[in-house]
Amino acid sequence: MNPLSQLPSVDRLLSAAALAALVDVHGRAIVTGTVREVLAEARSTAREGAPVPDEAALLARVGAGVTAKTLPKLRPVFNLTGTVLHTNLGRAPLPEEAVQALVAAARSPCALEYDIDSGGRGDRDDIVSELLCELTGAEAATVVNNNAAAVFLLLNTLAPKKQVIVSRGELIEIGGAFRVPDIMSRAGAKLVEVGTTNRTHLKDFAEAINPRTAMLMKVHASNYAIHGFTHAVPEAELAALAHQHQLPFVIDLGSGTLADLAVYGLPHEPTPREAIAAGADLVTFSGDKLLGGPQAGLLVGRRDLIVKLKKNPLKRALRVGKLTLAALEAVLALYRDPDRLHLRVTAVRQLTRPAADIAAQAARLLPALQAALNGLAVTAGIVALKSQIGSGSLPVDRLPSAGFAVRPQGRKGGVLNRIEQGLRALPKPVIGRIEDGALLLDLRCLAAHEEPEFAAQLSASRGLGT
Ligand SMILES: *Cc1c(COP(=O)(O)O)cnc(C)c1O
């Protein structure tokens, strides 16, 4: 007898109760498609001599197939990597106020480019430009899709076919193929490098200025630091030199927080307000790094220059959508009350969380982790860790933190990889890191309200890594 004839038909499988339930949830098309794939696969392996699966096995494969296809790709995860602003995990989580504003803007029509008072057409930048000016001391502001786009728009508008003078020590690459020299040439500007990697002086800039110079530029070297015999020209001196020659002085701040994070014990990071006060004509920074908002590129500075940027047709191509503006407006509004940033802006709260608080959380959660690791040849304990800020912000500084270290009992480290995979396979994947023979889970970014969910899925996952 031909073993293939034992395989049920598509219709027969579809009539099973388990699949009717799947059709209810996901629709007929995807379930039928998966049934066909599962049967085709069974036919092909049976032809190669594998046993023909029974109906229950086939139904289970269809169930697993439909689940795999319908799981969203952009899934929430627990970020226990120890890097707070993790670019691969979406950088800053939004504060609840921003989430609410974003959802409201998504759900119903909103006054995106509409002036409710006059009933006339509005400008989408107006949603945040007043707040940005208030928070930075700038005359005017505009917003694009990210800071890379902000730098690109600035160069393309103010320096086409002209020269931009930058210190050699600032020709940086930021992850994801943003390199200052490349962005410069793509934007149509000519890079003029001055000084050396470690030392650049005012006279280096002064000697490079000529009639083809469009601007002086400073790039905040946010993702690395050089130490030792170094010199960079103070911003106020560069601004004065540029203004002597009627040239704009622009700064790409990168992270650019709007508050002085030093009051929270974090290292000082230059702010747009300081840059403007030092004489910068335009400053660009990211919305989703230390600021703790949505992905966006913010440009603040002189009104006449912002007007020029907004007239560039590229601005239309780089503009942000209503969801971004809704979230950004809500986050900026929180900065009006700098005293409570550490409570209200999620990224700032995570960055300022005391190590003792994190260690106490680790003590509460250790039993759930130990239950999940039950029976495996590993030990799990609470350890002091150092978190990173991430996204190239404050690259050298580490924040005292706490979490778990899982170590193999024997010499073999393979068990750690299996546990790490097991954690990623949980309903809300847990992302940690393996370092120096240990699996490390830094709890800095686990909020108190997430603890029950975190513990429950660990407790339910007995045999993690087996
Ligand atoms: C991060 C960064 C950028 C790019 O900003 P995105 O918002 O990621 O596009 C550009 N310049 C500097 C100095 C940066 O730190």
Side-chain angles (χ1 to χ4, degrees), residues 209 215-216 235-250 275-282 302 305:
I209 294 176
M215 64 171 76
L216 307 192
E235 282 151 19
E237 289 179 29
L238 276 179
L241 176 67
H243 297 159
Q244 270 167 34
H245 294 268
Q246 279 81 49
L247 295 171
F249 170 51
V250 305
I276 297 284
D281 299 285
L282 275 180
R302 250 165 59 191
L305 298 179

Side-chain angles (χ1 to χ4, degrees), residues 95-262:
E96 198 45 41
E97 286 86 344
V99 173
Q100 297 295 331
L102 184 154
V103 169
R107 196 167 270 148
S108 90
C110 56
L112 178 62
E113 292 186 347
Y114 184 80
D115 183 356
I116 294 176
D117 292 334
S118 71
R121 195 190 152 89
D123 177 342
R124 67 178 63 200
D125 281 351
D126 290 349
I127 293 166
V128 291
S129 58
E130 252 176 60
L131 261 171
L132 278 169
C133 292
E134 178 187 319
L135 295 165
T136 62
E139 288 173 6
T142 184
V143 188
V144 290
N145 190 35
N146 53 34
N147 188 37
V151 174
F152 187 79
L153 179 66
L154 180 160
L155 293 168
N156 183 267
T157 310
L158 303 179
K161 300 201 177 83
K162 295 189 86 184
Q163 299 181 353
V164 178
I165 308 177
V166 187
S167 161
R168 281 207 171 80
E170 297 172 1
L171 298 179
I172 54 170
E173 171 182 308
I174 292 136
F178 175 94
R179 287 176 156 191
V180 171
D182 297 346
I183 223 98
M184 196 75 81
S185 64
R186 282 287 170 166
K190 296 207 165 60
L191 170 67
V192 175
E193 309 171 19
V194 296
T196 59
T197 306
N198 57 332
R199 288 173 74 85
T200 302
H201 304 279
L202 192 63
K203 74 170 178 11
D204 297 324
F205 283 91
E207 286 165 6
I209 294 176
N210 70 69
R212 298 183 55 223
T213 305
M215 64 171 76
L216 307 192
M217 183 170 185
K218 184 170 177 69
V219 183
H220 182 54
S222 43
N223 56 1
Y224 81 110
I226 43 176
H227 297 282
F229 188 55
T230 65
H231 185 259
V233 186
E235 282 151 19
E237 289 179 29
L238 276 179
L241 176 67
H243 297 159
Q244 270 167 34
H245 294 268
Q246 279 81 49
L247 295 171
F249 170 51
V250 305
I251 305 181
D252 170 14
L253 266 190
S255 211
T257 165
L258 291 171
D260 182 6
L261 297 180

Side-chain angles (χ1 to χ4, degrees), residues 304-323:
D304 60 322
L305 298 179
I306 296 284
V307 166
K308 276 193 189 168
L309 296 180
K310 292 177 68 152
K311 285 195 181 137
N312 186 335
L314 270 177
K315 166 65 168 66
R316 172 65 180 78
L318 302 174
R319 76 179 185 191
V320 292
K322 61 183 178 178
L323 305 186

